[in-house]
Amino acid sequence: MMINAEWDRIKGRLRDEVGDAAYRSWLRPITLHQAADGLVRLGLPTRFMRDWVATHYGERIRTLWGAENPALSAIEIVVANSRVPEPAAPPPVVDATTVASAKPTATVSVLRPRSAAPAASADQDELGALLDPRFTFKNFVVGKPNEFAHAAALRVAEASAVSFNPLFLYGGVGLGKTHLMHAIAHHIRDHNPARRVLYLSAEKFMYRFIRALRSQDTMSFKEQFRSVDVLMVDDVQFIAGKDATQEEFFHTFNALVDQGRQIVISADKSPSDLEGMEDRLRSRLNSGLVADLHATTYELRLGILHSKAEQMAAAVPQKVMEFLAHKIVSNVRELEGALNRVVAHSQLVGRSITLESTQDVLHDLLKASDRRITIEEIQKRVAEHFNIKLAEMSSARRSRQVARPRQVAMYLAKQLTSRSLPEIGRKFGGRDHTTVMHAVKKIEELRSSDVGFSEDVELLRRMLQN
């Protein structure tokens, strides 16, 4: 079709003008949704992207297309999903005048849901992130490293009144924080659908706030976030160092607490260890129940594999399960991914799963796992490099001759292993996690100011990785 050729040429021009990075982020996702009677409808997957493209690129798209096809009368930018406009309120059309408007709401169509549900509910659905149907309490495997966090999450989900405010879940990558948050949301929606639940990432909260500032519509933003019964924010560490977003989040937090609404938050560190957070916000995050998810044990990993295999209805030999539980220790996502690969290979080639086939299918993953560096290796190599006794890594001596190599070893342990700060501290004579944090910060400062020292540390890192 001629219209497709026109759109291809326009995309080429846009790519040349804005560069590859901006094109991939904002313009490549645009689809030619509909074209008829001088009207072109372009689609984007989310409201945020739709508003951004309309505001920043809408006028240029209109100009380029006008040059390609003078018969074109208008361009409409929509969210290209299953939602359609209500017959009684057709979406406004984007023409050269409205595209130039500074407010996103004037430049894009507003799609209403098919159902007769209240508009506020529809807004909440689009405002938050989609929930993964797999992430329920039923599918969460409980073990010693996560039993406290699981119990706290279940209590919040089942409680008719606010139990802990906020519930703060923290832990490393792939240990189950997001799973528990989704499980809370699923449980509340299934058992108490009248409660309004909003789950989203801290990154999305920030983007929504920025969009409200640019459109001079912060009141609507405040109303959307402060009218929910349960607010769930994932990866709150993302707003560290972003003062304006923290300010708004702090006021949203206070407003919901004052109204007796439930707040659930997750992060990769405890509130006390979140750098770049205002003291008053850190204090608020610490004011409820803080529950951590520890690194998985062998028994928990084995239980997760059994549960996953049962869900997949896959016959996986016990020896293969044990092998994977021993070898894949970094996080649950990697563990489940390994099992998925093994089962998929078996089904595609039509062979049963054996220990030999598992090793063959996962050779790259197992090789990387075998190269995984331990804190003991780091301590030994650093002690040799600085010519001190290995025992000094755990000693109480504070002389610079000993303290600096110890700090280097802590720094490398944080960089090269998946161990948490408390775990690293325990390997260095039972030191507190704040000591490890100080060591990491000190070495980073020295590396930026002392070229020779930085080269020494980099040499140690390369020796350990090879």
Side-chain angles (χ1 to χ4, degrees), residues 14-197:
L14 289 169
R15 185 170 193 161
D16 292 339
E17 291 177 10
V18 305
D20 286 343
Y23 178 82
R24 286 195 302 269
S25 297
W26 302 109
L27 300 173
R28 188 166 67 181
I30 300 175
T31 57
L32 184 57
H33 203 50
Q34 189 178 359
D37 302 323
L39 168 66
V40 169
R41 180 172 290 164
L42 301 176
L44 280 157
T46 68
R47 293 174 65 186
F48 176 71
M49 292 185 72
R50 177 197 66 184
D51 292 352
W52 179 277
V53 168
T55 303
H56 294 83
Y57 302 112
E59 172 62 17
R60 187 57 182 155
I61 293 172
R62 177 70 180 84
T63 301
L64 290 173
W65 217 318
E68 284 280 343
N69 184 357
L72 181 70
S73 60
I75 296 174
E76 181 185 6
I77 302 177
V78 301
V79 178
N81 58 16
S82 60
R83 300 176 186 270
V84 297
E86 290 180 349
V93 171
V94 180
D95 58 21
T97 304
T98 56
V99 168
S101 170
K103 293 187 179 182
T105 52
T107 65
V108 296
S109 62
V110 180
L111 301 185
R112 303 295 183 189
R114 283 192 183 123
S115 67
S121 299
D123 288 343
Q124 297 297 353
D125 289 341
E126 280 221 19
L127 187 65
L130 293 174
L131 297 177
D132 192 320
R134 300 170 302 165
F135 291 170
T136 63
F137 284 116
K138 181 180 178 182
N139 292 336
F140 190 85
V141 181
V142 182
K144 192 170 182 181
N146 60 27
E147 61 183 357
F148 177 58
H150 173 267
L154 188 59
R155 172 70 65 85
V156 166
E158 292 177 340
S160 56
V162 174
S163 303
F164 322 105
N165 226 4
L167 171 60
F168 191 102
L169 304 171
Y170 78 94
V173 175
L175 296 182
K177 303 184 300 294
T178 299
H179 188 142
L180 284 178
M181 294 188 79
H182 283 225
I184 293 172
H186 278 305
H187 191 280
I188 293 174
R189 287 182 174 181
D190 290 344
H191 294 83
N192 195 352
R195 296 183 76 188
R196 290 162 295 175
V197 180

Side-chain angles (χ1 to χ4, degrees), residues 257-298:
V257 170
D258 290 345
Q259 297 172 50
R261 311 290 174 83
Q262 180 69 59
I263 300 173
V264 183
I265 295 170
S266 81
D268 60 352
K269 300 173 184 173
S270 72
S272 303
D273 296 335
L274 288 173
E275 296 183 3
M277 287 286 188
E278 294 180 2
D279 289 341
R280 60 177 183 170
L281 180 55
R282 190 184 291 115
S283 175
R284 270 298 199 180
L285 297 177
N286 257 321
S287 63
L289 179 65
V290 178
D292 61 336
L293 292 95
H294 300 289
T296 57
T297 60
Y298 167 75

Side-chain angles (χ1 to χ4, degrees), residues 2 4 29 32 66 102 104 108 116 159 165 174 220 249 263 280 287 367 396 406 414:
M2 186 181 298
N4 289 324
L32 184 57
V108 296
N165 226 4
S220 294
F249 184 70
I263 300 173
R280 60 177 183 170
S287 63
K367 189 176 179 182
R406 188 188 296 133
K414 178 69 173 66

Side-chain angles (χ1 to χ4, degrees), residues 367-403:
K367 189 176 179 182
S369 180
D370 288 340
R371 286 202 309 270
R372 200 156 276 133
I373 301 160
T374 66
I375 294 176
E376 288 79 8
E377 287 177 74
I378 294 171
Q379 291 175 328
K380 183 178 178 182
R381 184 58 63 92
V382 173
E384 290 172 352
H385 182 81
F386 287 99
N387 197 27
I388 65 172
K389 294 179 180 178
L390 181 60
E392 298 288 15
M393 290 290 169
S394 303
S395 74
R397 288 184 60 194
R398 295 186 178 181
S399 66
R400 184 172 179 177
Q401 181 185 0
V402 172

Side-chain angles (χ1 to χ4, degrees), residues 20 32 57 60 65 105 108 139 150 168 183 201 204 219 225 260 275 299 320 345 352 421 428-429 434 452 458:
D20 286 343
L32 184 57
Y57 302 112
R60 187 57 182 155
W65 217 318
T105 52
V108 296
N139 292 336
H150 173 267
F168 191 102
S201 67
K204 191 167 186 178
M219 288 309 297
F225 280 91
E275 296 183 3
E299 291 78 14
V320 172
H345 177 268
S352 58
L421 295 176
F428 286 83
T434 56
E458 180 63 18

